[in-house]
Amino acid sequence: MIERWQATPPASCTLPDGPPPILLLGGEPESAKAARDFAREYVGYHVPGASDDYLDSVILVTCELVTNAVRYGTEPGDSVRVTLDADDNRTRVEVQDPRRRPPQRRPESDERGRGRGLFILDALCPDAWGHTPAPFGKVVWAEVKAT
């Protein structure tokens, strides 16, 4: 289930132009592709001069956070929320899932193709990622600096 959040604004407010900053996804593996597409569209619109390397980094970080949230933070029927905020200096990616347990490093496994997510965050967002509790679960966040 993929749902874009968009509310009807009060008469005194208007919605910003471009893609909305929030995407709700089902807790299923296919959500990673939807998250990549969402990040590409959002950053492409809000940071039109972004380099290919910067855009690729944001997409990879978004995909890793969603994959980890789906794999370790959801059960069947759960959903995750992706929130993006981008400007010329950085893009902040937040992924909320319903589980309170913080992210944990797992041994890397070539056989299972797992265990690299947090190492990728360390490489692309050194000292700029973490997690915070949320009313219903946790938010894992990362900031990709513009290059």
Side-chain angles (χ1 to χ4, degrees), residues 42-43 46-47 50 54 85-92 144 146:
Y42 186 88
V43 173
H46 291 283
V47 189
Y54 177 63
D85 180 49
D87 60 35
D88 292 334
N89 299 314
R90 59 98 186 113
T91 296
R92 183 178 176 95
V144 180

Side-chain angles (χ1 to χ4, degrees), residues 29-132:
E30 297 80 21
S31 293
K33 181 186 180 328
R36 288 191 303 269
D37 294 344
F38 174 63
R40 182 178 293 109
E41 180 183 359
Y42 186 88
V43 173
Y45 183 87
H46 291 283
V47 189
S51 71
D52 289 342
D53 287 344
Y54 177 63
L55 183 57
D56 288 346
S57 293
V58 172
I59 292 168
L60 180 57
V61 166
T62 303
C63 183
E64 287 299 326
L65 290 178
V66 168
T67 298
N68 286 350
V70 167
R71 186 172 283 159
Y72 304 113
T74 63
E75 295 180 8
D78 287 343
S79 60
V80 298
R81 183 179 77 183
V82 181
T83 305
L84 298 178
D85 180 49
D87 60 35
D88 292 334
N89 299 314
R90 59 98 186 113
T91 296
R92 183 178 176 95
V93 180
E94 297 180 354
V95 177
Q96 182 176 352
D97 67 57
R99 194 170 236 176
R100 289 200 175 269
R101 185 178 53 156
Q104 299 175 352
R105 292 189 193 284
R106 304 208 184 268
E108 196 172 322
S109 171
D110 290 332
E111 289 177 13
R112 294 179 298 138
R114 296 182 179 183
R116 296 178 193 89
L118 298 183
F119 294 109
I120 290 171
L121 291 181
D122 284 339
L124 296 176
C125 311
D127 302 319
W129 73 271
H131 59 89
T132 56

